[in-house]
Amino acid sequence: MVDVSKAQDGGVVKKILTEGSGNTPSPGNEVMVHYTGRLPNGIVFDSSKDRNQLFKFKVGQGQVIKGWDEGILSMKRGEVAILTCKPDYAYGANGSPPKIPPNSTLEFEVEMHDFYGEDCSEDGGVLKSTITEGTGLSNPREGSTVSVSWTMKHLDRDLETRSVKFILGDGAGQGIVDGVEKALLKMKKGESAHVTVKSPYAYGDVGDAGLAVPGGADLSYNLTLEDFEQAKYKYEMSDEEKIEFAETAKGMGTEYFKAGNYALALKKYKVITEYLEADAEDFDDMPDSDDEEKDAEPEKSKEKDPEIEKKSLALQIAAFSNQAICHLKLQDGIQALKACEMALKLDPQNIKALFRRGQAAEMSQEWEDAIGYYKATLEVDPKNVTAANKIKFCRNKVKTFKQAQKKKYANMFERTNFKEPEKADTDDNKLKPDFSDSEDEEEAVGSDNDAPQAMEA
């Protein structure tokens, strides 16, 4: 028997019945166990075996009694052990009525079936197992500056050892895989962890020739979050800090765009509008005329520096316009159109947004809309040759479409049109009653030759 409590105070004593193999779980791991709980008199008060269902929980996270959080961390896969938990490590002075009396020492027979790392991606693609626990209560959030180091392996081969400082969320720009960033969002300062990263969160089907990572490879990292500087929330920033933050994001977005990383560039341009958009709402809410009620005017304490407002507005217009071009590069005409509309809401004569709105409609094959948008571009910039050429291109598309439709429906009409066979002029026919409602009924029936013209009209 061995004391497995952290305090080594005899609070949790383990007796191994069947030896397990391999390593033990880390705090935060998802564990799967069978158990039978007994009172000191041997009466069973609970058993997962009776339900024929494994019990799953995150160990070391306070989801179970203290004795389990500490005792199960010492168990290996396949191990069967008895954990004896004193009251302070079980249900304490209150017990758990009606089955567990107050101040009860409890005995659990536990079978460790399996465990796996904390799921950082919510689909099993990034699993983290803590090696060394960190300090503090907070995890870095996106935008934080982190200092990290790691050793990366594929199978048994060490492929990379690296130390780097970067802004969390911008890792792709420095060759850092998405899986590492997702794991860091779940780590504390000073924490070291073993992280398993599936291929979609690493280098995908392409791999990385420079690091000798084959396509489709799952990777493992021994990752350490050495330090981080927490990013401020939007509400914690002053107006000046928001402008500085947005200008930095714009510069990074431009670099990513030039490098052809349109998804990451889009992410940066979106951050700008997320942080500054409220400023535009405040600007829109200002009274339109002196005739409005005085209480509708902004409070003096909320008044902003006109120069700050000017910079904020310019940054937002540029960001929405740049979002549009990123969406176009990513072949998403609908989202590009939405971004253009947002830019034009702030600046109705913004030439880039006007032109890109036309491109967005063109991408969605909305030719008539595209023509209208390009015409709006020419109203602002009559010498815009590209917009004029785009109008000609779209008109040709409309013409081609109409001709195709005309041919389609003309053929359809020809397939369904028919003429009554001529009747012989006999006495029998003459004797038949005429059921016509009008003498002009015959004129209402057109000939085969007349049909296409009628459809065209």
Side-chain angles (χ1 to χ4, degrees):
M1 298 178 71
V2 59
D3 183 357
V4 291
S5 64
K6 286 184 179 180
Q8 290 293 291
D9 58 3
V12 189
V13 176
K14 182 174 78 167
K15 179 182 178 180
I16 297 177
L17 303 181
T18 302
E19 292 282 353
S21 61
N23 58 339
T24 58
S26 302
N29 281 186
E30 189 90 21
V31 300
M32 291 166 281
V33 301
H34 262 316
Y35 70 91
T36 299
R38 295 184 177 87
L39 297 172
N41 59 10
I43 294 176
V44 174
F45 61 83
D46 191 19
S47 175
S48 63
K49 291 184 176 181
D50 291 344
R51 297 186 291 275
N52 195 29
Q53 184 176 8
L54 288 169
F55 180 60
K56 301 179 182 180
F57 68 99
K58 287 185 178 180
V59 67
Q61 303 294 302
Q63 295 182 357
V64 292
I65 60 173
K66 185 178 178 181
W68 271 44
D69 261 346
E70 297 190 11
I72 287 178
L73 285 172
S74 70
M75 297 183 67
K76 299 176 181 179
R77 288 183 179 86
E79 181 179 328
V80 181
I82 293 176
L83 298 177
T84 303
C85 305
K86 286 186 175 181
D88 288 347
Y89 286 77
Y91 293 94
N94 294 325
S96 183
K99 293 185 176 182
I100 302 173
N103 294 309
S104 294
T105 294
L106 304 178
E107 184 179 278
F108 296 90
E109 183 176 321
V110 182
E111 300 177 16
M112 174 64 80
H113 279 252
D114 199 6
F115 57 86
Y116 50 87
E118 179 181 3
D119 190 348
C120 301
S121 58
E122 300 183 354
D123 61 0
V126 183
L127 300 176
K128 176 179 78 73
S129 296
T130 300
I131 299 170
T132 303
E133 292 190 49
T135 59
L137 300 175
S138 63
N139 310 105
R141 53 180 172 265
E142 191 162 324
S144 299
T145 301
V146 297
S147 297
V148 303
S149 60
W150 68 74
T151 298
M152 181 261 285
K153 290 185 176 183
H154 174 238
L155 301 177
D156 294 328
R157 297 183 300 127
D158 288 346
L159 299 183
E160 183 185 39
T161 298
R162 186 177 180 188
S163 295
V164 63
K165 184 176 182 178
F166 70 101
I167 296 175
L168 197 53
D170 296 340
Q174 297 191 44
I176 299 168
V177 300
D178 188 33
V180 167
E181 294 202 86
K182 288 190 179 298
L184 289 169
L185 289 168
K186 301 287 187 179
M187 296 177 70
K188 292 181 171 60
K189 185 180 296 187
E191 180 179 344
S192 294
H194 178 76
V195 182
T196 301
V197 181
K198 297 286 187 181
S199 172
Y201 292 95
Y203 294 98
D205 295 333
V206 178
D208 187 308
L211 294 174
V213 177
D218 298 337
L219 305 175
S220 63
Y221 289 79
N222 282 338
L223 177 65
T224 300
L225 175 56
E226 296 169 354
D227 198 4
F228 69 88
E229 181 182 342
Q230 192 68 281
K232 283 186 176 183
Y233 284 113
K234 174 181 172 179
Y235 68 84
E236 295 176 317
M237 290 184 176
S238 66
D239 292 337
E240 289 79 6
E241 287 175 321
K242 288 179 185 178
I243 295 297
E244 183 179 356
F245 176 83
E247 287 175 338
T248 300
K250 182 184 176 185
M252 295 178 71
T254 301
E255 291 300 317
Y256 291 139
F257 186 88
K258 289 178 179 178
N261 195 333
Y262 305 122
L264 200 52
L266 177 61
K267 186 177 179 180
K268 282 295 161 189
Y269 294 136
K270 283 186 174 181
V271 164
I272 296 171
T273 53
E274 287 169 5
Y275 270 71
L276 298 181
E277 207 165 358
D279 295 337
E281 292 171 5
D282 293 341
F283 185 78
D284 290 341
D285 289 340
M286 291 182 68
D288 293 326
S289 70
D290 294 333
D291 296 333
E292 296 190 32
E293 294 180 4
K294 290 183 179 180
D295 58 2
E297 296 179 4
E299 297 176 11
K300 292 292 183 179
S301 58
K302 294 184 179 180
E303 288 185 358
K304 297 180 180 179
D305 184 340
E307 189 63 29
I308 293 291
E309 285 188 354
K310 183 178 178 182
K311 287 182 179 180
S312 175
L313 190 62
L315 282 165
Q316 288 177 80
I317 294 167
F320 280 125
S321 179
N322 289 342
Q323 287 174 32
I325 191 64
C326 288
H327 283 305
L328 289 170
K329 291 289 187 181
L330 295 169
Q331 300 298 304
D332 190 343
I334 294 174
Q335 291 302 318
L337 183 60
K338 289 180 180 179
C340 289
E341 296 292 354
M342 292 301 294
L344 293 170
K345 181 181 176 181
L346 300 175
D347 179 10
Q349 293 193 323
N350 185 272
I351 195 67
K352 289 183 178 179
L354 287 167
F355 184 80
R356 289 168 186 169
R357 185 174 60 168
Q359 289 179 300
E362 186 181 333
M363 180 173 285
S364 301
Q365 297 187 3
E366 299 291 344
W367 308 114
E368 297 281 8
D369 288 344
I371 290 170
Y373 295 150
Y374 287 131
K375 283 183 176 179
T377 305
L378 289 176
E379 288 176 7
V380 177
D381 181 12
K383 296 182 179 180
N384 194 313
V385 177
T386 307
N389 289 336
K390 285 287 189 180
I391 290 174
K392 294 178 183 177
F393 173 81
C394 292
R395 281 176 174 165
N396 285 333
K397 287 290 184 180
V398 172
K399 182 178 179 181
T400 301
F401 175 78
K402 287 183 176 180
Q403 288 174 341
Q405 291 296 98
K406 174 182 174 182
K407 183 177 180 180
K408 174 183 175 181
Y409 287 109
N411 291 339
M412 184 184 301
F413 186 87
E414 288 175 356
R415 286 195 300 270
T416 58
N417 191 30
F418 65 92
K419 184 168 65 175
E420 290 285 349
E422 293 183 3
K423 297 176 182 180
D425 188 11
T426 64
D427 293 341
D428 290 340
N429 287 331
K430 289 180 180 180
L431 294 173
K432 287 181 180 180
D434 185 3
F435 292 102
S436 300
D437 292 330
S438 167
E439 294 180 358
D440 297 328
E441 182 182 31
E442 191 173 337
E443 296 179 6
V445 180
S447 67
D448 287 343
N449 291 331
D450 291 337
Q453 283 74 22
M455 286 296 294
E456 187 175 330

